């Protein structure tokens, strides 16, 4: 009690002893919460584990393969055996199926990452610019997106690949990336429209930041989870398109891919000759990789969306 007769309450010991929470601490707390739910999500853990296992096999497989993938040196149509290193058997021409499998698996991840990355980059540039600028810029970019969207992209890829004399994995991935971005751009445009009117964007404008800084330092970080899931979908789409092109004989020349393995097995009547070890591994690998990516994407959606989280 003071001399004037007023009662002075003692200070709150909790507020005195605990320092104010800094923004970085809040971010760390949010990261830990997200990590907690991520580790508890079975779909995410399963999909990520399978994808990493296949990636590890793609990286170390060619190093432990006993024979070059295109070498005609083994016995014809051997079933899977540990003898002479033919773990997945041999083809009708005596080629090592395991060596072809791991080589094709490595190319699968390369074309998926490169093709999906190119499509994601174009989609982000077009989507962010259209959603942030609006007006005439939005109309022009939206028109270009709609034109590319209605073009039969697979037929276009067939024509382009058929006229190329030398086809490489990089060329295939670039063409896939250049034709797979429209849906991503439209989705990002809609998301950007919803964020442009937020207070933090207005504060960034008032502080004198340029459009590029606002887009990539204010808007994009608030969509990081969505961007990551978008890339996973583009990765899986690039893998499926590449496998289809390879299966119909328009894949890269001078090497072997999973789609080309399936094509060669069909041409050699492997199914009729009961050479299941020639066509089952590549088809199963494509299904496992793409399936695990989509399962992981569903798990990420549940982690990033509080309404879908498993307590």
């Amino acid at each position: 009690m003071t001399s004037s007769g007023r009662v002075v309450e003692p200070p709150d010991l909790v507020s005195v002893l605990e320092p104010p929470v800094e923004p970085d601490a809040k971010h760390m707390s949010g990261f830990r919460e997200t990590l907690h739910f991520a580790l508890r999500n079975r779909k995410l853990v399963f999909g990520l584990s399978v994808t990493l296992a296949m990636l590890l096999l793609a990286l170390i497989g060619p190093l432990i393969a006993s024979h070059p993938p295109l070498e005609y040196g083994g016995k014809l149509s051997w079933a899977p055996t540990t003898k002479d290193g033919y773990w997945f058997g041999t083809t009708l021409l005596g080629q090592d199926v395991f060596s072809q499998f791991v080589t094709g698996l490595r190319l699968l991840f390369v074309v998926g990452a490169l093709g999906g990355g190119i499509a994601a980059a174009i989609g982000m540039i077009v989507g962010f610019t259209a959603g942030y600028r609006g007006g005439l810029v939005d109309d022009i970019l939206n028109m270009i997106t709609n034109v590319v969207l209605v073009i039969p992209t697979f037929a276009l890829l067939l024509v382009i690949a058929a006229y190329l004399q030398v086809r490489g994995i990089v060329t295939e991935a670039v063409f896939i990336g250049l034709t797979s971005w429209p849906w991503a751009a439209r989705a990002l445009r809609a998301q950007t429209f919803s964020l442009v009117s937020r207070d933090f964007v207005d504060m960034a404008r008032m502080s004198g930041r340029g459009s590029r800084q606002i887009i990539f330092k204010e808007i994009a970080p608030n969509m990081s989870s969505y961007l990551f899931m978008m890339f996973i979908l583009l990765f899986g789409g690039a893998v499926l398109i590449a496998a289809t092109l390879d299966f119909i004989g328009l894949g890269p020349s001078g090497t072997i891919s999973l789609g080309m393995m399936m094509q060669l097995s069909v041409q050699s009547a492997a199914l009729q000759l009961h050479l299941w070890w020639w066509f089952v591994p590549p088809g199963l690998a494509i299904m496992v990789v793409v399936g695990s990516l989509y399962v992981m994407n569903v798990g990420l959606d549940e982690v990033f969306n509080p309404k879908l989280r498993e307590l």
Side-chain angles (χ1 to χ4, degrees), residues 3-287:
S3 58
S4 60
R6 291 183 301 174
V7 178
V8 178
E9 296 181 357
D12 188 359
L13 295 179
V14 176
S15 61
V16 173
L17 296 177
E18 291 187 357
V21 180
E22 299 293 334
D24 292 341
K26 292 181 180 180
H27 292 161
M28 286 300 298
S29 177
F31 172 77
R32 290 171 182 171
E33 180 184 2
T34 303
L35 182 62
H36 169 74
F37 284 103
L39 295 177
R40 291 172 59 90
N41 190 282
R42 297 179 180 178
K43 299 183 184 69
L44 176 58
V45 173
F46 174 78
L48 182 60
S49 301
V50 173
T51 303
L52 291 179
M54 298 298 287
L55 178 60
L56 181 63
L57 179 60
L59 293 176
I60 67 175
L63 303 178
I64 62 176
S66 303
H67 309 278
L70 301 179
E71 180 183 60
Y72 301 94
K75 291 188 177 181
L76 310 183
S77 305
W78 259 21
T81 177
T82 57
K83 188 177 181 181
D84 296 330
Y86 294 110
W87 300 329
F88 283 13
T90 62
T91 68
L92 195 64
L93 301 176
Q95 296 171 313
D96 184 11
V97 175
F98 176 77
S99 180
Q100 293 187 352
F101 173 77
V102 292
T103 301
L105 189 61
R106 176 178 290 187
L107 294 183
L108 178 144
F109 280 98
V110 171
V111 72
L114 186 56
I118 292 174
I122 298 175
M124 285 191 293
I125 293 173
V126 175
F128 284 146
T129 305
Y132 181 80
R133 291 290 186 180
L136 181 61
V137 175
D138 176 44
D139 292 337
I140 295 175
L141 292 178
N142 196 33
M143 180 186 65
I144 296 174
T145 303
N146 291 333
V147 170
V148 179
L149 194 63
V150 299
I151 292 177
T153 55
F154 187 70
L156 179 63
L157 289 172
L158 290 179
V159 173
I160 294 175
Y163 278 95
L164 288 177
Q165 297 297 326
V166 179
R167 297 184 298 271
I169 191 68
V170 176
T171 305
E172 183 181 53
V174 169
F175 282 134
I176 293 174
L178 292 177
T179 55
S180 303
W181 59 268
W183 72 264
R186 297 192 68 175
L188 291 178
R189 170 179 173 268
Q191 293 288 330
T192 305
F193 268 137
S194 65
L195 293 176
V196 166
S197 58
R198 300 290 180 88
D199 293 338
F200 67 90
V201 176
D202 293 335
M203 293 295 294
R205 287 171 178 163
M206 294 174 61
S207 64
R209 290 191 177 184
S211 300
R212 184 179 302 177
Q213 289 182 327
I214 295 175
I215 290 175
F216 291 103
K217 292 185 178 181
E218 300 293 337
I219 297 177
N222 284 277
M223 299 170 56
S224 56
S225 59
Y226 186 83
L227 295 175
F228 187 62
M229 292 189 292
M230 180 193 70
F231 173 73
I232 292 178
L233 293 177
L234 290 171
F235 188 107
V239 167
L240 292 177
I241 295 175
T244 304
L245 289 174
D246 297 346
F247 181 74
I248 61 178
L250 297 177
S253 54
T255 185
I256 190 72
S257 65
L258 298 182
M260 294 174 64
M261 288 181 64
M262 298 179 67
Q263 179 215 14
L264 293 174
S265 65
V266 170
Q267 290 180 349
S268 302
L271 179 62
Q272 290 77 9
L273 296 175
H274 306 289
L275 305 180
W276 57 267
W277 56 86
W278 191 356
F279 58 86
V280 169
L284 186 62
I286 295 172
M287 182 185 67

